[in-house]
């Protein structure tokens, strides 16, 4: 993500509309993410798995992104007198951390599938929760270190009516941040998916391959495919920013402010739809809440039969009311 040129500032009124849409999508994404975290924490038996641990990690990264961006909008619209270059630099740095956090959270999901797919028998330690906690720590360390250039250089500085990103005129810095935050994790995930897809195709051609093993391969490949789908949805939010880098047209910059929050929101919805365990649990909860007790049938049974078997005493007719 990069800022527009200083020579053509954007009206603050336009930011009112754009940021309002972005915050609305961000709040929705945070709500869905918290719901996923709460369900995973509550349903211990079925959802305390490596896969759901990494899903929750992506949810945390998404919440972090939405909160940081909302703070940036507050500074832009409601705190225009806060003109510190250092403060702007730190807000930009946090923004790039959150973008890296989300992108690299998908990367470690792909690496996890690779470990489970190919090394679960020979190196079982690679599939343990301890290993995945370590992967999450490494992911966040990368998210912190990759955008350090934004804080140790003077490329980000305060500009009126402008978000705190690396300006487009710092083209080398812009290319580095875009490549490190988007291109590297995306290409790596696609390479993992392509190699595993090829491996499964070759395995199915071998008559000596056990049927159960092939089914496990196909299941893991399906899970990895879901990760790729979610990653592509997230990446779709960055397409306007890429078009802005190529054309320098402000319309793409403004659209990009909204689309990232929108796609994170859509990605969270699809996370639930693609996860059968989460979806089934939500369906059960909704059925419980919408269940209605048929009170009218109770009254009919009292009139016809005089009492309901195993009913509480308050529902049974008293002896004085019986017909003689």
């Amino acid at each position: 993500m990069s800022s527009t040129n200083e020579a053509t500032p954007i009206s603050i009124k336009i930011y009112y509309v754009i940021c309002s849409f972005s915050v609305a999508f961000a709040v929705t994404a945070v709500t869905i993410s918290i719901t996923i975290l709460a369900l995973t924490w509550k349903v211990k038996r079925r959802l305390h798995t490596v896969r759901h641990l990494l899903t929750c990690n992506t949810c945390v990264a998404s919440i972090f992104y939405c909160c940081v961006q909302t703070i940036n909008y507050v500074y832009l619209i409601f705190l225009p007198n806060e003109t510190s270059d250092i403060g702007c630099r730190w807000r930009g740095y946090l923004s790039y951390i959150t973008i890296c956090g989300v992108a690299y959270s998908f990367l470690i999901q792909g690496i996890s599938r690779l470990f489970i797919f190919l090394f679960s028998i020979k190196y079982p330690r690679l599939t343990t929760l301890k290993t995945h906690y370590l992967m999450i720590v490494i992911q966040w360390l990368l998210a912190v270190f990759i955008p350090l250039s934004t804080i140790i250089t003077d490329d980000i500085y305060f500009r009126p009516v402008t978000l705190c990103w690396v300006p487009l005129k710092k083209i080398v810095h812009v290319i580095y941040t875009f490549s490190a935050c988007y291109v590297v994790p995306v290409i790596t995930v696609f390479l993992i998916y392509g190699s595993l897809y090829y491996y499964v195709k070759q395995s199915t051609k071998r008559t000596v391959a056990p049927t159960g093993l092939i089914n496990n391969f196909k299941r893991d490949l399906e899970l990895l495919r879901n990760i790729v789908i979610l990653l592509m949805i997230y990446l779709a939010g960055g397409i306007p920013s890429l078009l802005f880098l190529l054309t320098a047209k402000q319309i793409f910059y403004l659209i990009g402010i909204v689309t990232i929050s929108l796609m994170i929101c859509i990605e969270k919805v699809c996370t639930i739809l693609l996860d059968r365990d989460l979806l089934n649990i939500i369906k059960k909860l909704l059925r419980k809440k919408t269940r209605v007790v048929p009170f009218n049938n109770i009254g009919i049974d009292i009139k016809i039969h005089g009492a309901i078997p195993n009913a509480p005493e308050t529902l049974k007719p008293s002896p004085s009311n019986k017909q003689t």
Side-chain angles (χ1 to χ4, degrees):
M1 200 83 183
S2 57
S3 298
T4 56
N5 295 325
E6 297 174 84
T8 55
I10 299 172
S11 171
I12 191 65
K13 293 182 180 179
I14 297 178
Y15 274 120
Y16 288 158
V17 178
I18 296 298
C19 293
S20 296
F21 279 108
S22 183
V23 169
F25 293 130
V27 170
T28 305
V30 169
T31 303
I32 299 173
S33 297
I34 292 175
T35 301
I36 294 174
L37 292 172
L39 288 175
T40 305
W41 176 262
K42 183 177 180 181
V43 186
K44 295 184 178 180
R45 292 184 179 180
R46 294 181 61 183
L47 300 184
H48 281 207
T49 63
V50 165
R51 177 162 59 95
H52 291 100
L53 170 67
L54 298 181
T55 299
C56 289
N57 178 55
T58 302
C59 288
V60 171
S62 300
I63 292 172
F64 191 17
Y65 171 83
C66 293
C67 291
V68 169
Q69 290 309 111
T70 301
I71 292 172
N72 288 339
Y73 301 149
V74 170
Y75 272 94
L76 175 68
I77 296 174
F78 299 106
L79 299 172
N81 295 327
E82 180 58 44
T83 61
S84 170
D85 288 340
I86 295 177
C88 184
R89 202 167 294 139
W90 277 102
R91 291 195 295 276
Y93 174 59
L94 289 175
S95 298
Y96 284 109
I97 286 178
T98 60
I99 291 175
C100 283
V102 175
Y104 281 83
S105 70
F106 285 110
L107 174 58
I108 65 171
Q109 288 190 55
I111 294 174
S112 171
R113 285 296 109 193
L114 179 66
F115 287 168
I116 294 172
F117 200 95
L118 296 180
F119 306 115
S120 58
I121 297 177
K122 190 173 182 180
Y123 304 103
R125 288 186 179 181
L126 293 177
T127 63
T128 61
L129 282 173
K130 184 178 180 180
T131 299
H132 285 79
Y133 280 121
L134 179 61
M135 290 171 60
I136 291 173
V137 171
I138 294 174
Q139 168 221 327
W140 284 107
L141 288 176
L142 288 174
V144 169
F145 282 108
I146 286 173
L148 272 178
S149 58
T150 60
I151 199 69
I152 62 179
T153 66
D154 298 331
D155 289 351
I156 296 180
Y157 50 89
F158 175 79
R159 288 160 294 162
V161 199
T162 305
L163 290 168
C164 296
W165 299 103
V166 177
L168 190 59
K169 64 181 181 179
K170 305 290 184 178
I171 188 63
V172 175
H173 200 170
V174 169
I175 292 174
Y176 164 74
T177 54
F178 193 86
S179 300
C181 293
Y182 283 105
V183 177
V184 171
V186 170
I187 290 179
T188 306
V189 170
F190 276 97
L191 286 175
I192 292 173
Y193 178 75
S195 60
L196 294 186
Y197 180 82
Y198 176 79
Y199 183 83
V200 170
K201 286 297 182 181
Q202 292 298 113
S203 298
T204 54
K205 294 179 181 179
R206 302 171 189 168
T207 57
V208 295
T211 305
L213 185 61
I214 295 299
N215 291 335
N216 290 337
F217 283 165
K218 290 182 177 180
R219 181 196 62 203
D220 289 332
L221 191 64
E222 180 183 354
L223 294 175
L224 183 58
R225 182 203 63 191
N226 292 343
I227 295 171
V228 172
I229 292 173
L230 297 175
L231 178 60
M232 290 179 65
I233 293 172
Y234 169 70
L235 288 177
I239 291 177
S241 298
L242 177 61
L243 294 175
F244 171 69
L245 294 179
L246 298 175
T247 64
K249 292 185 177 180
Q250 291 183 347
I251 184 64
F252 293 124
Y253 172 74
L254 295 172
I255 293 174
I257 294 175
V258 179
T259 53
I260 295 181
S261 298
L262 171 62
M263 289 304 167
I264 287 180
C265 181
I266 294 175
E267 180 261 320
K268 294 305 160 204
V269 175
C270 292
T271 297
I272 295 175
L273 295 178
L274 292 174
D275 193 314
R276 296 174 185 174
D277 294 329
L278 271 175
L279 187 61
N280 290 334
I281 289 170
I282 291 175
K283 285 181 179 179
K284 288 181 180 179
L285 291 175
L286 292 176
R287 288 170 186 168
K288 288 181 180 179
K289 291 183 179 180
T290 57
R291 187 175 297 172
V292 180
V293 179
F295 289 104
N296 293 335
N297 292 341
I298 295 176
I300 294 172
D301 286 338
I302 292 174
K303 291 180 179 180
I304 296 175
H305 304 290
I308 301 175
N310 301 324
E313 293 295 330
T314 54
L315 294 179
K316 294 181 181 181
S318 61
S320 59
N321 293 333
K322 293 183 179 179
Q323 295 179 357
T324 57

Short mmCIF file of all heavy atoms in Angstrom, two decimals, residues 35-57:
data_model
loop_
_atom_site.label_atom_id
_atom_site.label_comp_id
_atom_site.label_asym_id
_atom_site.label_seq_id
_atom_site.Cartn_x
_atom_site.Cartn_y
_atom_site.Cartn_z
N THR A 35 -16.15 -14.13 16.78
CA THR A 35 -17.07 -15.28 16.85
C THR A 35 -16.32 -16.59 16.61
O THR A 35 -16.52 -17.58 17.33
CB THR A 35 -18.19 -15.12 15.81
OG1 THR A 35 -18.90 -13.90 16.06
CG2 THR A 35 -19.16 -16.29 15.89
N ILE A 36 -15.45 -16.60 15.60
CA ILE A 36 -14.66 -17.80 15.31
C ILE A 36 -13.75 -18.14 16.49
O ILE A 36 -13.64 -19.31 16.90
CB ILE A 36 -13.83 -17.61 14.02
CG1 ILE A 36 -14.76 -17.49 12.82
CG2 ILE A 36 -12.86 -18.78 13.83
CD1 ILE A 36 -14.05 -17.14 11.52
N LEU A 37 -13.11 -17.14 17.07
CA LEU A 37 -12.23 -17.36 18.22
C LEU A 37 -13.02 -17.91 19.41
O LEU A 37 -12.58 -18.84 20.10
CB LEU A 37 -11.54 -16.06 18.62
CG LEU A 37 -10.51 -15.51 17.63
CD1 LEU A 37 -10.05 -14.12 18.07
CD2 LEU A 37 -9.31 -16.44 17.52
N ALA A 38 -14.21 -17.34 19.65
CA ALA A 38 -15.02 -17.78 20.79
C ALA A 38 -15.50 -19.21 20.61
O ALA A 38 -15.47 -20.01 21.55
CB ALA A 38 -16.21 -16.83 20.97
N LEU A 39 -15.96 -19.55 19.41
CA LEU A 39 -16.43 -20.91 19.14
C LEU A 39 -15.29 -21.92 19.28
O LEU A 39 -15.48 -23.00 19.83
CB LEU A 39 -17.04 -20.99 17.75
CG LEU A 39 -18.40 -20.32 17.56
CD1 LEU A 39 -18.82 -20.38 16.10
CD2 LEU A 39 -19.46 -20.98 18.43
N THR A 40 -14.13 -21.56 18.77
CA THR A 40 -12.98 -22.46 18.86
C THR A 40 -12.57 -22.69 20.30
O THR A 40 -12.21 -23.80 20.70
CB THR A 40 -11.79 -21.89 18.06
OG1 THR A 40 -12.21 -21.65 16.71
CG2 THR A 40 -10.63 -22.86 18.06
N TRP A 41 -12.63 -21.64 21.10
CA TRP A 41 -12.28 -21.77 22.52
C TRP A 41 -13.31 -22.59 23.28
O TRP A 41 -12.97 -23.40 24.15
CB TRP A 41 -12.17 -20.39 23.14
CG TRP A 41 -11.90 -20.42 24.62
CD1 TRP A 41 -12.81 -20.28 25.63
CD2 TRP A 41 -10.63 -20.63 25.25
NE1 TRP A 41 -12.19 -20.37 26.85
CE2 TRP A 41 -10.85 -20.59 26.64
CE3 TRP A 41 -9.34 -20.84 24.78
CZ2 TRP A 41 -9.82 -20.76 27.56
CZ3 TRP A 41 -8.32 -21.01 25.70
CH2 TRP A 41 -8.56 -20.97 27.05
N LYS A 42 -14.58 -22.44 22.93
CA LYS A 42 -15.65 -23.11 23.67
C LYS A 42 -15.75 -24.58 23.32
O LYS A 42 -15.89 -25.44 24.20
CB LYS A 42 -16.99 -22.41 23.38
CG LYS A 42 -18.15 -22.99 24.18
CD LYS A 42 -19.43 -22.22 23.90
CE LYS A 42 -20.60 -22.79 24.68
NZ LYS A 42 -21.88 -22.07 24.40
N VAL A 43 -15.71 -24.90 22.03
CA VAL A 43 -15.88 -26.29 21.58
C VAL A 43 -14.50 -26.94 21.56
O VAL A 43 -13.82 -26.99 20.55
CB VAL A 43 -16.54 -26.34 20.18
CG1 VAL A 43 -16.84 -27.79 19.80
CG2 VAL A 43 -17.80 -25.51 20.16
N LYS A 44 -14.07 -27.47 22.68
CA LYS A 44 -12.69 -27.92 22.85
C LYS A 44 -12.41 -29.22 22.11
O LYS A 44 -11.33 -29.41 21.55
CB LYS A 44 -12.38 -28.08 24.33
CG LYS A 44 -12.41 -26.77 25.10
CD LYS A 44 -12.01 -26.96 26.53
CE LYS A 44 -12.00 -25.63 27.28
NZ LYS A 44 -11.60 -25.80 28.70
N ARG A 45 -13.33 -30.14 22.11
CA ARG A 45 -13.04 -31.46 21.55
C ARG A 45 -12.83 -31.42 20.05
O ARG A 45 -11.90 -32.01 19.52
CB ARG A 45 -14.18 -32.43 21.89
CG ARG A 45 -14.26 -32.77 23.37
CD ARG A 45 -15.34 -33.81 23.61
NE ARG A 45 -15.42 -34.18 25.02
CZ ARG A 45 -16.28 -35.08 25.50
NH1 ARG A 45 -17.14 -35.68 24.67
NH2 ARG A 45 -16.29 -35.37 26.79
N ARG A 46 -13.69 -30.73 19.33
CA ARG A 46 -13.67 -30.79 17.87
C ARG A 46 -12.80 -29.72 17.23
O ARG A 46 -12.28 -29.92 16.13
CB ARG A 46 -15.10 -30.66 17.34
CG ARG A 46 -16.00 -31.84 17.72
CD ARG A 46 -17.38 -31.66 17.15
NE ARG A 46 -17.36 -31.60 15.69
CZ ARG A 46 -18.43 -31.39 14.95
NH1 ARG A 46 -19.62 -31.21 15.52
NH2 ARG A 46 -18.35 -31.34 13.65
N LEU A 47 -12.64 -28.57 17.90
CA LEU A 47 -11.97 -27.45 17.26
C LEU A 47 -10.58 -27.15 17.80
O LEU A 47 -9.93 -26.23 17.31
CB LEU A 47 -12.84 -26.19 17.38
CG LEU A 47 -14.22 -26.27 16.73
CD1 LEU A 47 -14.94 -24.95 16.83
CD2 LEU A 47 -14.13 -26.71 15.27
N HIS A 48 -10.13 -27.90 18.80
CA HIS A 48 -8.77 -27.69 19.30
C HIS A 48 -7.80 -28.54 18.49
O HIS A 48 -7.26 -29.54 18.96
CB HIS A 48 -8.69 -28.01 20.80
CG HIS A 48 -9.23 -26.90 21.65
ND1 HIS A 48 -8.81 -26.68 22.94
CD2 HIS A 48 -10.11 -25.91 21.38
CE1 HIS A 48 -9.44 -25.63 23.44
NE2 HIS A 48 -10.24 -25.15 22.50
N THR A 49 -7.59 -28.11 17.25
CA THR A 49 -6.71 -28.81 16.31
C THR A 49 -5.69 -27.83 15.76
O THR A 49 -5.82 -26.61 15.92
CB THR A 49 -7.52 -29.42 15.16
OG1 THR A 49 -8.15 -28.36 14.42
CG2 THR A 49 -8.58 -30.38 15.67
N VAL A 50 -4.68 -28.38 15.08
CA VAL A 50 -3.67 -27.53 14.45
C VAL A 50 -4.31 -26.61 13.41
O VAL A 50 -3.98 -25.42 13.32
CB VAL A 50 -2.59 -28.43 13.79
CG1 VAL A 50 -1.74 -27.63 12.83
CG2 VAL A 50 -1.72 -29.08 14.86
N ARG A 51 -5.22 -27.16 12.62
CA ARG A 51 -5.85 -26.36 11.56
C ARG A 51 -6.60 -25.17 12.14
O ARG A 51 -6.50 -24.05 11.63
CB ARG A 51 -6.80 -27.26 10.76
CG ARG A 51 -7.58 -26.53 9.68
CD ARG A 51 -8.14 -27.53 8.68
NE ARG A 51 -9.00 -28.49 9.31
CZ ARG A 51 -10.34 -28.38 9.37
NH1 ARG A 51 -10.93 -27.32 8.86
NH2 ARG A 51 -11.06 -29.32 9.92
N HIS A 52 -7.35 -25.40 13.21
CA HIS A 52 -8.12 -24.30 13.80
C HIS A 52 -7.24 -23.35 14.59
O HIS A 52 -7.57 -22.17 14.73
CB HIS A 52 -9.24 -24.87 14.67
CG HIS A 52 -10.31 -25.56 13.88
ND1 HIS A 52 -10.38 -26.94 13.75
CD2 HIS A 52 -11.34 -25.07 13.14
CE1 HIS A 52 -11.41 -27.25 13.00
NE2 HIS A 52 -12.00 -26.15 12.61
N LEU A 53 -6.11 -23.83 15.10
CA LEU A 53 -5.15 -22.93 15.73
C LEU A 53 -4.66 -21.90 14.72
O LEU A 53 -4.61 -20.69 15.02
CB LEU A 53 -3.97 -23.73 16.29
CG LEU A 53 -2.76 -22.92 16.77
CD1 LEU A 53 -3.13 -22.10 18.00
CD2 LEU A 53 -1.59 -23.83 17.07
N LEU A 54 -4.31 -22.35 13.53
CA LEU A 54 -3.82 -21.44 12.50
C LEU A 54 -4.94 -20.55 11.96
O LEU A 54 -4.69 -19.39 11.60
CB LEU A 54 -3.18 -22.24 11.36
CG LEU A 54 -1.96 -23.08 11.76
CD1 LEU A 54 -1.39 -23.81 10.55
CD2 LEU A 54 -0.89 -22.23 12.42
N THR A 55 -6.15 -21.07 11.91
CA THR A 55 -7.29 -20.24 11.52
C THR A 55 -7.49 -19.11 12.51
O THR A 55 -7.72 -17.95 12.13
CB THR A 55 -8.56 -21.09 11.42
OG1 THR A 55 -8.40 -22.09 10.42
CG2 THR A 55 -9.77 -20.22 11.06
N CYS A 56 -7.39 -19.42 13.79
CA CYS A 56 -7.52 -18.40 14.83
C CYS A 56 -6.39 -17.37 14.75
O CYS A 56 -6.60 -16.18 15.00
CB CYS A 56 -7.55 -19.05 16.21
SG CYS A 56 -9.06 -19.96 16.56
N ASN A 57 -5.20 -17.83 14.39
CA ASN A 57 -4.08 -16.92 14.22
C ASN A 57 -4.37 -15.91 13.11
O ASN A 57 -4.07 -14.71 13.26
CB ASN A 57 -2.81 -17.71 13.91
CG ASN A 57 -1.62 -16.83 13.67
OD1 ASN A 57 -1.26 -15.99 14.50
ND2 ASN A 57 -0.99 -16.99 12.52
#
